[in-house]
Amino acid sequence: MAPRDAPAAIAASARIHVLWPDDGAWWPARLVEPLGGGGGGRGDLHPSSSCAILYDTGEEESNVPVSELAAMAGRGEVAWAGQTRAAALAKARPP
């Protein structure tokens, strides 16, 4: 898969992998727009809004600012669909 930056528009149902820094494990998850977020669970998340990260394990992080999600991507802690986890880390830590 080709590496990608965080998409210009973050979809409210995007599939991602999140790096958990404490143990270095990657956790598959899906972004979820909170109820009342304006899009009814469809469409793009506004950069000043928040979302929930619903992990495949069933755990959820609520009220995650979209700006923090973008910052996590910049640090290589989020791999977007179509981007390998190694590419996410390499982008954040150039040689």
Side-chain angles (χ1 to χ4, degrees), residues 2-8 73 78 80-81 83 91:
R4 289 188 343 166
D5 291 332
V78 172
W80 303 94
Q83 178 185 39
K91 178 185 170 294

Side-chain angles (χ1 to χ4, degrees), residues 14-15 28 33 39 47 53 59 64 66 68 71 78:
R15 291 288 304 166
E33 182 179 7
I53 300 174
E59 295 180 50
V64 178
V66 172
E68 176 58 21
V78 172

